[in-house]
Amino acid sequence: GTTGIPKGVKITRKGINSFVDQYVDAYLHDTEGLTYWVMGHSRGAALANILAARLIDEGNSVYAYTFATPSTTVNEHRGATKYRSIFNFANTSDFVTYVPLREWDFGRFGVTCSMSIENAD
């Protein structure tokens, strides 16, 4: 659901959803077996996370990779098996990966791999 998503993100998400749908309708006449690859960084990662979840919810094959990913949703099913093709990479040393706060029940669709860039060799 869209509860708790900032207005600017909602507006941008609608624009991206519309663009993807228009592109597919205009240029892809046979969408059987179509796979979506979705990527984003930081705020773009938040939008990629939401877009990937929507595409999966619509029954599409999706692989998504997001980097420096903020939390995107309060959806209680965000960790469901169907979202296992969404991979979020979160640097634990980066403030962005902690907002909105987990204490407010926000999280990300898919699987999150948390790591510290500061501790990397």
Side-chain angles (χ1 to χ4, degrees), residues 95-114:
F95 172 75
V96 170
T97 63
Y98 293 101
V99 294
L101 297 174
R102 183 180 359 205
E103 289 78 10
W104 296 345
D105 201 29
F106 276 86
R108 303 169 190 91
F109 289 101
V111 178
T112 297
C113 177
S114 296

Side-chain angles (χ1 to χ4, degrees), residues 30-97:
D30 180 14
T31 58
E32 186 174 329
L34 182 65
T35 298
Y36 291 86
W37 293 82
V38 182
M39 287 197 318
H41 174 262
S42 194
R43 285 178 286 180
L47 293 166
N49 186 265
I50 294 167
L51 173 64
R54 183 207 39 124
L55 291 168
I56 289 169
D57 288 344
E58 292 176 352
N60 294 292
S61 174
V62 176
Y63 295 97
Y65 300 89
T66 71
F67 304 90
T69 316
S71 296
T72 60
T73 184
V74 293
N75 184 311
E76 63 186 33
H77 303 292
R78 61 187 174 247
T81 302
K82 69 179 179 176
Y83 300 123
R84 291 288 193 201
S85 61
I86 302 173
F87 301 97
N88 307 292
F89 296 91
N91 176 4
T92 57
S93 302
D94 184 352
F95 172 75
V96 170
T97 63

